[in-house]
Amino acid sequence: MDSLYTAGVRFAEVLQAGPPWLEKFWILVTSQADPKCVFTVVFPLAYFLSRKVGMLVLWTGLVSEWLNVVLKWFLFGERPFWWVHESGLASKGLVTLRQFPVSCETGPGDPSGHCMITGAALWPLVTTLTTLASQPSRSPVLKLVPFAAYILLMMAVGFSRIFVLAHFPHQVVSGILAGAALGWWLQTHTPSTRPPTFFIAAALGLLLSSLSLHSLLIAAGIDIDW
């Protein structure tokens, strides 16, 4: 894993060596793509477009938040900002990296929450926009525009997370793939016709299962909060 981590650090060095205007862009992207924006920005916009799509975005965001935490507990994953010090690369003067206010995230890093949660929650919105765009003219080019924008956005989010040293490249890739797969799967299992009690019970179930799993891992001697 050390060789994979080292390669990721070198890639981050290349990104940080870019022009100043690009630095501002990466920091803006990583700030605006925070998972909480799924609930404060993406959900209201999707709900305005369609109640069903809005509910699906909210549901997908909820499940992806829970799954991301669980996956991180099992996959662990170092974070670049801390690993360069723990590995000794920083003390040896072998890296030229800069710290940013958003660099010092703690806890496991695999998969990237920004990529996974944002990617999953945007999926139903993207597929809906694809359908709407292709209806008037049935042009295959228009049909590809929402997905092209989705891919470019996820790439930008991924690069921004590497730039601020929050994640290694492979953690970003796993987050994007997991998010797209989860979004696709949940879209075919939409609970939009369920009563409100279903969502209340589901939220409580996810919360209690997380707390129980956390307690079991701690009891087993696994320090998931290292």
Side-chain angles (χ1 to χ4, degrees):
M1 289 298 293
D2 283 353
S3 59
L4 183 62
Y5 287 153
T6 301
V9 167
R10 299 308 177 196
F11 185 72
E13 287 182 307
V14 173
L15 285 179
Q16 289 195 357
W21 67 265
L22 198 54
E23 173 183 322
K24 296 179 180 179
F25 174 74
W26 293 135
I27 294 178
L28 176 65
V29 170
T30 199
S31 300
Q32 296 302 315
D34 189 281
K36 68 175 179 288
C37 292
V38 168
F39 305 99
T40 60
V41 178
V42 180
F43 163 65
L45 291 176
Y47 195 87
F48 176 79
L49 180 65
S50 165
R51 179 182 182 277
K52 180 179 179 180
V53 177
M55 293 297 292
L56 188 54
V57 166
L58 188 61
W59 173 248
T60 305
L62 175 67
V63 175
S64 60
E65 279 269 16
W66 172 82
L67 184 59
N68 182 254
V69 170
V70 173
L71 287 176
K72 283 181 176 177
W73 286 347
F74 285 98
L75 297 178
F76 289 95
E78 299 281 354
R79 289 186 182 266
F81 176 79
W82 304 103
W83 183 82
V84 293
H85 297 285
E86 296 171 354
S87 64
L89 285 179
S91 61
K92 297 175 183 177
L94 299 178
V95 292
T96 53
L97 295 170
R98 286 174 292 143
Q99 176 186 351
F100 302 94
V102 291
S103 294
C104 305
E105 292 191 29
T106 59
D110 195 15
S112 165
H114 276 63
C115 294
M116 179 176 172
I117 299 166
T118 303
L122 285 178
W123 187 268
L125 184 60
V126 168
T127 55
T128 300
L129 291 176
T130 299
T131 302
L132 293 176
S134 60
Q135 282 179 349
S137 62
R138 300 186 182 278
S139 169
V141 176
L142 286 177
K143 192 173 183 180
L144 292 175
V145 169
F147 275 105
Y150 174 82
I151 293 172
L152 291 175
L153 175 60
M154 295 314 302
M155 290 179 61
V157 173
F159 284 141
S160 74
R161 301 304 288 160
I162 299 171
F163 180 87
V164 300
L165 307 181
H167 291 286
F168 290 98
H170 69 279
Q171 297 171 347
V172 163
V173 172
S174 64
I176 293 175
L177 294 178
L182 184 63
W184 171 81
W185 186 80
L186 288 178
Q187 190 171 25
T188 60
H189 298 76
T190 173
S192 57
T193 57
R194 298 274 191 168
T197 52
F198 167 82
F199 295 97
I200 295 174
L204 288 175
L206 293 177
L207 174 61
L208 293 176
S209 65
S210 299
L211 293 175
S212 300
L213 180 59
H214 184 278
S215 299
L216 287 173
L217 291 173
I218 295 298
I222 302 175
D223 184 10
I224 57 178
D225 300 317
W226 96 97

